[in-house]
Amino acid sequence: MSLLVEKRILLGVTGGIAAYKSCELTRLLILAGASVRVVMTRAATAFVAPLSFQALSGNPVHLDLLDSEEESAMGHIRLARWADLILIAPATADFMAKLRAGLADELLGAVCLAAEVPIALAPAMNHAMWSNPATQDNAACLVARGMSLLGPAEGGQACGESGYGRMLEPADICRAVEKFFSRSQLSGISVLISAGPTREPIDPVRYLTNRSSGKMGYCLAQAAIAAGAKVTVVSGPVALPPPYDAAVVRVESAADMFDAVMSLAPHQDIYIGTAAVADYTPVAVAEEKIKKSKESLAIQLTRTRDILAAVASLPNKPYTVGFAAETDHVEAYAKAKLEGKGLDMIAANRVGQPEGGFDSPDNALWVAWNGGETVLPLASKQTIAIQLIELISENYRAKHSTKNSG
Ligand code: PMT
């Protein structure tokens, strides 16, 4: 049964092209069993007719703050009290700025100001508008006040450009909203996540690295935060905005990552190793830039220390989840890692193909633990992260209830 059954969602629609996707979002929320009331800003009505939302939600759409009839029927205070959750999708840069300033010149702003329930925003805007310091500052401030951000996602945009700023797909928003009502899943639990690539220096200007973008780890951090966890990310060099509400420790090399993870891991409940840590590093780092004097050049490499294995052999080890990136024999190699390194769970992905894996917006995982396995089929990394966090919390709780009753 969906966690949205009988939940009352007030959907705020602001004026962006992604407003058309909120029709599908309304349909999905209703299908999941929620009651939906829609409040539109004036600008939103230029993109989608209120009648569409009225037909899909089965309720009149609320538009004007000063409409006396509407005020008497269900004014901003009553709307704010009616809702279990206020979801604003799409949330434009303009609306986020107004929300931060506490403006109540339109009905939606007044409802948010009067709200005592959680508010979640699904930002949607051009990538440059999203990364503009003003918007980032507004987003950080809204999160600091307890609001939640769902996305934005990366990808092609209506303006023809590409980057972070796309509204999450309606199905992903619906899942995230569902998780809202199971926030206590990981509440009080600390989660440490390694993410991204490492850089192994050869000389002052060159290094060895890999194609990891950090997306999988950052999406897991966001999903764990949404599930109520206290999250720390140890991140290799990536070009991603930090996950909101997570502590981020930035590192470069495999040795740096080892030191950072091992100083934090003994105090954590769960460790998830998504980082693509270099298996080998140069034996020596040249002090000066290596000159191209010879026809060929050999660089001697030595094994790095295995962070995941070291965490799994701590005396008071956290619940330890490893990743396995394999081009072939995915399940067999992953199972060998699960058993060989003494892990609680392994999440394996096929890499080296066009879809999923390194530097892709999507992924698919084969997940195994002591006594079970499952497949998470190809989906956005946001969706895969929500599903994996769900599996981890179920198994973590099962392990601890056995421990406590044993
Ligand atoms: O970052 P993205 O672009 O989103 O891509 C995601 C991903 C493909 C990098 C991710 O899903 C993934 O598969 N991460 C693990 C990559 C990897 O290095 O796999 P592996 O099979 O080589 O390593 C197995 C496990 O050992 C991993 O949990 C790794 O973090 C860990 N390891 C490896 C070497 C080492 N020295 N220390 C480690 O802890």
Side-chain angles (χ1 to χ4, degrees):
M1 192 173 86
S2 166
L3 293 167
L4 293 182
V5 172
E6 292 180 7
K7 293 291 183 295
R8 290 176 300 192
I9 313 281
L10 190 139
L11 176 63
V13 182
T14 69
I17 181 64
Y20 79 92
K21 289 189 182 176
S22 298
C23 293
E24 173 66 357
L25 175 59
T26 307
R27 199 182 69 80
L28 293 177
L29 292 169
I30 297 275
L31 268 179
S35 297
V36 178
R37 282 187 173 270
V38 179
V39 176
M40 297 177 80
T41 62
R42 265 187 302 276
T45 61
F47 290 90
V48 183
L51 201 55
S52 306
F53 286 109
Q54 182 171 320
L56 288 162
S57 68
N59 281 313
V61 172
H62 305 270
L63 299 165
D64 292 315
L65 182 60
L66 300 178
D67 178 332
S68 58
E69 224 171 80
E70 190 158 344
E71 273 291 285
S72 57
M74 203 164 200
H76 62 282
I77 304 291
R78 278 186 62 203
L79 275 169
R81 297 291 168 269
W82 172 85
D84 293 318
L85 171 78
I86 296 175
L87 168 64
I88 298 163
T92 59
D94 176 71
F95 186 76
M96 289 170 69
K98 285 180 170 158
L99 195 55
R100 181 196 185 163
L103 295 190
D105 58 340
E106 283 209 63
L107 179 60
L108 186 56
V111 169
C112 290
L113 213 49
E116 290 171 339
V117 293
I119 299 179
L121 299 110
M125 65 198 74
N126 167 273
H127 66 98
M129 292 173 79
W130 170 249
S131 55
N132 187 292
T135 310
Q136 288 295 304
D137 200 33
N138 290 335
C141 173
L142 296 175
V143 169
R145 288 181 193 162
M147 298 182 204
S148 301
L149 290 186
L150 314 177
E154 187 191 18
Q157 303 198 299
C159 55
E161 297 180 1
S162 172
Y164 275 89
R166 248 178 98 85
M167 188 168 92
L168 287 191
E169 291 307 315
D172 291 332
I173 296 180
C174 206
R175 278 189 152 277
V177 168
E178 213 175 359
K179 290 294 148 296
F180 235 92
F181 293 102
S182 65
R183 258 191 167 259
S184 53
Q185 236 183 354
L186 285 180
S187 123
I189 301 295
S190 53
V191 178
L192 177 65
I193 299 174
S194 72
T198 60
R199 284 180 183 170
E200 307 308 312
I202 296 170
D203 69 12
V205 294
R206 301 182 179 99
Y207 51 78
L208 299 172
T209 190
N210 58 64
R211 294 181 189 279
S212 169
S213 63
K215 277 180 210 150
M216 193 66 249
Y218 278 49
C219 287
L220 279 164
Q222 213 62 74
I225 287 165
K230 183 171 174 288
V231 175
T232 307
V233 181
V234 175
S235 176
V238 297
L240 298 175
Y244 286 110
D245 257 7
V248 179
V249 179
R250 296 192 185 279
V251 296
E252 287 252 332
S253 67
D256 296 342
M257 191 172 272
F258 184 97
D259 292 342
V261 168
M262 293 314 287
S263 74
L264 292 161
H267 320 290
Q268 304 289 321
D269 298 306
I270 297 175
Y271 172 70
I272 311 175
T274 58
V277 188
D279 289 322
Y280 290 91
T281 190
V283 169
V285 182
E287 277 179 24
E288 315 273 314
K289 182 182 169 210
I290 299 172
K291 291 282 172 209
K292 57 168 187 232
S293 50
K294 298 185 217 148
E295 261 325 294
S296 66
L297 176 72
I299 297 171
Q300 202 191 347
L301 303 176
T302 180
R303 284 282 292 270
T304 55
R305 286 173 294 176
D306 192 314
I307 304 168
L308 187 60
V311 171
S313 34
L314 284 170
N316 216 345
K317 71 162 184 160
Y319 185 90
T320 309
V321 182
F323 263 66
E326 311 290 353
T327 51
D328 56 324
H329 301 95
V330 176
E331 296 177 16
Y333 287 150
K335 231 172 197 154
K337 278 177 184 155
L338 176 71
E339 285 155 17
K341 295 191 188 188
L343 309 178
D344 293 294
M345 185 180 276
I346 188 102
N349 39 203
R350 192 176 287 278
V351 294
Q353 56 182 18
E355 279 188 329
F358 285 84
D359 200 19
S360 160
D362 305 320
N363 209 3
L365 294 176
W366 176 80
V367 187
W369 58 94
N370 188 7
E373 60 178 66
T374 193
V375 171
L376 305 181
L378 190 69
S380 71
K381 280 182 178 166
Q382 279 100 344
T383 300
I384 292 286
I386 291 169
Q387 294 170 343
L388 184 59
I389 288 296
E390 221 169 281
L391 271 178
I392 292 172
S393 51
E394 272 167 28
N395 282 281
Y396 170 81
R397 277 202 303 264
K399 184 172 174 179
H400 281 262
S401 64
T402 330
K403 241 191 206 171
N404 296 339
S405 63

